[in-house]
Amino acid sequence: MSLSAVTVDVLDPTPPYEQLRRQLADLIGSGVLSPGDRLPPVRQLAVDLGLAAGTVARTYRELEQAGYVRSRRGGGTRVAPTPPATATPERALEEAAAAYLARARMLGASAEAATDAVRRAALG
Amino acid sequence: MRVAIFAVPFALVGLVVALMRRVVVTVALSEHGGVVEIARHTRRWRLVGLLLGGVAAVLLLQGGQQVDALGRVTALAPTALGAGILIGTIIGELTARPKVGIRRSATVETRTLRAVLPRGRAITLAMSSTLLAGALAVGAAWGSADDLGRAGRSFTQTCTVIDPDLGPVLMGSSRGPWPGSFYVVPITVALVVLTGLVALALRAIVTRPRPGLDSHALDTMLRRWSVGNVLTAATVTVLGTLGPLAVFMASAIFGGSCPNSAVETVVAGVALVIGPVAAGAAFALLASLVLTPSIRVDDLPPSRSGAAAALGAPLP
């Protein structure tokens, strides 16, 4: 079983709850997380990411309002039976790449330098 | 002193078996730093707990008679030992915090106890607990007041014997100490507290933050080891309580002047076997807790027999 992961960058101008919301929505919308799959408990995800529990709780609340997940008392938070299909994995990757390039531009780096950095990171 | 003489051979067997079966995972210096740090931290605290629990148990064994000459305090020594290990484990797990950086990652998973539960140790603990619960129930059910009226401290039988001169004579036989309600109540209270500590320790292990995505498998293994140690500590307490209890039970049933019923004979026979085995197993398991699985950090991979030296030109 492959594990999905989420990442939060505390220096990113996007608030952590929004970074989380976007990534979880992508995982659900692209089918990586299937209907009925259980999301981590709020406290567990908060502790793993070094965030306040309220931040993760806000993410889950917004995902629930958008129809991605369902929360039940005692049953945890699960992916909704028919979540909005927002993106394919390829589309989610393209959006992530666009966000990365936008951030690189903010730091004054060219697209070539940003691509080189990705290549170096991928090669370890 | 007699306890120590009985304990040493079993403890040695436990140490040898633990040494032979010990799991040591070797990682490179630059790998899994977060997990290695957590492993060291939790191990340190568990050993501190083991030491403090051991001191508390020895104090209860040696000084318990001065507090309560009838042995109710002494009977709590195994629980004190187990509680020490569990408290050390809880503190270690709750204070283990991996370093967080600017970019923080987490897996989208729900960590559960079932995923890291070593089945063999869980079954051993369940079987030991069932035996102890049975012994406590029989002890409480068959206990009677002793000659000073202390309820549940004696095992009493009555029977009719034919005296050549007097004819049928009603005889009573009462022996103790018997593990009746006099001892069962404090032991049960202590075991309930210990059960709470086990639950807290397991929860602390499962909810401890993950150190990083790269160390996912190693971290899961570390959690499984920690859960195994908690179950072993609980088993040590259960068996350490069951052993003496069963021996007292057997000696009280077999030592009377009235003939035993079939049920009493079976219970006493089983207790006579279980008592020393449980006590010996408790000491062996206790010794094995000193040599728990660990993570070793090394620059070079471990050499294998027949393999070329790690230094020099790489092999094609």
Side-chain angles (χ1 to χ4, degrees):
Chain A
M1 192 185 94
S2 66
L3 286 164
S4 312
V6 286
T7 301
V8 166
D9 188 336
V10 290
L11 292 184
D12 195 311
T14 311
Y17 82 87
E18 176 57 23
Q19 293 180 48
L20 262 183
R21 190 204 62 76
R22 200 179 292 163
Q23 290 174 65
L24 287 171
D26 281 345
L27 288 172
I28 296 168
S30 60
V32 176
L33 291 177
S34 311
D37 280 357
R38 196 168 173 181
L39 263 58
V42 169
R43 276 192 187 178
Q44 179 192 307
L45 194 54
V47 164
D48 282 1
L49 291 170
L51 299 173
T55 304
V56 179
R58 181 171 179 184
T59 300
Y60 280 19
R61 215 166 36 241
E62 300 215 352
L63 285 171
E64 190 172 10
Q65 284 167 2
Y68 286 99
V69 298
R70 277 186 182 176
S71 295
R72 272 189 197 161
R73 189 179 289 272
T77 304
R78 291 178 186 275
V79 177
T82 50
T86 53
T88 60
E90 293 75 23
R91 179 73 192 136
L93 198 63
E94 282 167 14
E95 283 181 7
Y100 167 68
L101 286 173
R103 184 150 179 239
R105 268 197 301 277
M106 274 175 60
L107 294 170
S110 65
E112 288 75 24
T115 312
D116 287 346
V118 170
R119 197 167 291 122
R120 278 197 303 276
L123 293 173
Chain B
M1 189 63 193
R2 275 179 296 174
V3 174
I5 292 169
F6 175 80
V8 167
F10 287 101
L12 281 176
V13 169
L15 272 177
V16 170
V17 172
L19 198 62
M20 286 167 64
R21 298 180 59 185
R22 192 180 191 204
V23 176
V24 178
V25 173
T26 304
V27 297
L29 190 62
S30 56
E31 288 177 343
H32 311 295
V35 179
V36 170
E37 186 53 43
I38 289 173
R40 284 178 180 158
H41 179 83
T42 52
R43 181 182 168 78
R44 213 175 294 136
W45 271 106
R46 191 173 55 250
L47 288 177
V48 168
L50 177 63
L51 191 69
L52 293 178
V55 169
V58 169
L59 285 176
L60 287 179
L61 282 175
Q62 299 287 338
Q65 293 291 334
Q66 291 165 4
V67 180
D68 178 41
L70 301 177
R72 280 178 297 187
V73 176
T74 309
L76 304 180
T79 314
L81 174 64
I85 302 169
L86 292 173
I87 290 170
T89 303
I90 292 168
I91 295 174
E93 295 290 340
L94 289 180
T95 53
R97 285 282 174 271
K99 288 176 185 139
V100 286
I102 294 166
R103 283 176 65 80
R104 305 161 182 184
S105 298
T107 48
V108 183
E109 52 155 2
T110 303
R111 286 197 289 275
T112 58
L113 177 60
R114 187 179 291 182
V116 289
L117 190 72
R119 292 192 189 286
R121 294 197 201 196
I123 290 169
T124 306
L125 176 59
M127 287 169 62
S128 309
S129 302
T130 306
L131 282 174
L132 179 60
L136 291 172
V138 169
W142 290 2
S144 59
D146 65 3
D147 52 349
L148 293 175
R150 289 175 293 228
R153 199 175 170 266
S154 200
F155 178 68
T156 303
Q157 289 171 306
T158 52
C159 55
T160 306
V161 292
I162 309 296
D163 188 280
D165 301 323
L166 303 171
V169 178
L170 186 67
M171 270 189 63
S173 167
S174 197
R175 275 101 51 202
W178 171 261
S181 58
F182 191 76
Y183 297 100
V184 166
V185 171
I187 288 175
T188 306
V189 170
L191 289 175
V192 167
V193 172
L194 191 95
T195 306
L197 286 176
V198 168
L200 280 176
L202 294 178
R203 186 181 157 80
I205 292 167
V206 172
T207 57
R208 172 172 61 70
R210 276 208 191 277
L213 294 181
D214 296 342
S215 307
H216 191 277
L218 190 63
D219 181 56
T220 302
M221 191 186 288
L222 182 62
R223 284 175 210 268
R224 187 169 290 119
W225 292 346
S226 298
V227 169
N229 292 332
V230 166
L231 298 182
T232 303
T235 309
V236 166
T237 302
V238 169
L239 292 179
T241 305
L242 175 65
L245 203 120
V247 170
F248 279 120
M249 202 173 251
S251 64
I253 294 176
F254 280 139
S257 48
C258 284
N260 294 320
S261 68
V263 176
E264 287 167 351
T265 306
V266 169
V267 168
V270 171
L272 197 60
V273 174
I274 283 177
V277 171
F283 285 117
L285 286 175
L286 177 61
S288 75
L289 275 175
V290 179
L291 289 172
T292 49
S294 64
I295 300 172
R296 193 167 68 92
V297 179
D298 199 355
D299 302 5
L300 301 170
S303 59
R304 285 173 291 180
S305 59
L311 297 173
L315 292 171

